Amino acid sequence: MKHILILLITLTLMSCDDTDYFEFPEVEYKFNIDGRTYSDNNGYYHLSIDPSENQQTLHRFGAHVTNTDIWGLPTQVIWRSDAFWYLQDTLGYTYIEIGNVPTGQSPWSWENFAVTGFEGMTVPIVNGTSHADPNVDSVFCMMAPVTEMIGDTITIYGKAIFEEGDIKIEDSFNIIFK
């Protein structure tokens, strides 16, 4: 009985030890956005949009970021901007091969159909989320402004998330569409 009492007291004292057996290194996370185009003296980036093409202009921007956290998870970045554009009713056209149609030339024919029903839907100009490359301290995102945005100045925001959401670092940049 005496041995059991000593064992219980020893276990109790050992269980009260406040030593952290899982010590992780202190990491200084970084997140700095780069517009990846010409920047003026005021820090505004500039992007040329071709007005002759009535479509989106694609541009890749990114950030220098700590690529993984202490758990080894890749850094997630959530992107947003203060600009968007509206869809017209017709999104585009699709071509479908139709079989057994009496066209006089062949039993097969191609028919085009308009993709409609999207009028008034908003389209953000940046992708919503990206993840860091585990081998390089970089993360990238695509933007797609349209011709109607020439002359606009917008802000793009990014939020890097580390350690399963416990640490968040935010940054932003301004870009002028020319």
Side-chain angles (χ1 to χ4, degrees):
M1 182 72 172
K2 183 177 177 183
H3 295 292
I4 294 175
L5 184 59
I6 292 174
L7 180 63
L8 286 174
I9 292 172
T10 305
L11 286 174
T12 304
L13 291 175
M14 287 178 61
S15 67
C16 294
D17 186 8
D18 63 349
T19 304
D20 188 3
Y21 293 102
F22 300 103
E23 292 186 27
F24 293 103
E26 189 70 27
V27 177
E28 201 170 315
Y29 294 111
K30 65 178 180 176
F31 178 61
N32 300 310
I33 294 179
D34 182 359
R36 296 177 49 94
T37 186
Y38 164 74
S39 176
D40 63 23
N41 292 336
N42 296 319
Y44 284 76
Y45 290 94
H46 296 258
L47 180 65
S48 296
I49 297 176
D50 186 358
S52 66
E53 296 184 29
N54 195 14
Q55 60 185 10
Q56 297 172 307
T57 299
L58 299 178
H59 177 72
R60 184 173 87 155
F61 63 94
H64 302 286
V65 64
T66 307
N67 61 353
T68 57
D69 62 15
I70 61 172
W71 304 104
L73 299 172
T75 302
Q76 178 186 21
V77 178
I78 299 172
W79 303 100
R80 67 181 178 86
S81 75
D82 59 0
F84 55 89
W85 52 275
Y86 292 104
L87 280 174
Q88 303 294 323
D89 181 53
T90 303
L91 184 60
Y93 294 90
T94 185
Y95 295 89
I96 300 175
E97 188 175 19
I98 307 288
N100 297 323
V101 175
T103 62
Q105 298 175 359
S106 166
W108 295 92
S109 173
W110 289 94
E111 188 71 38
N112 66 334
F113 296 95
V115 180
T116 60
F118 296 93
E119 184 174 9
M121 295 181 91
T122 58
V123 178
I125 67 164
V126 297
N127 289 343
T129 304
S130 55
H131 290 83
D133 183 330
N135 301 314
V136 183
D137 287 342
S138 296
V139 65
F140 298 100
C141 184
M142 294 297 292
M143 78 167 70
V146 292
T147 308
E148 291 80 11
M149 294 180 172
I150 293 176
D152 290 351
T153 301
I154 67 154
T155 305
I156 295 180
Y157 305 91
K159 182 189 301 184
I161 300 174
F162 305 95
E163 297 183 19
E164 299 179 346
D166 289 339
I167 298 175
K168 298 174 183 156
I169 302 174
E170 298 183 28
D171 196 9
S172 65
F173 72 96
N174 296 309
I175 188 163
I176 300 170
F177 299 130
K178 306 186 313 179

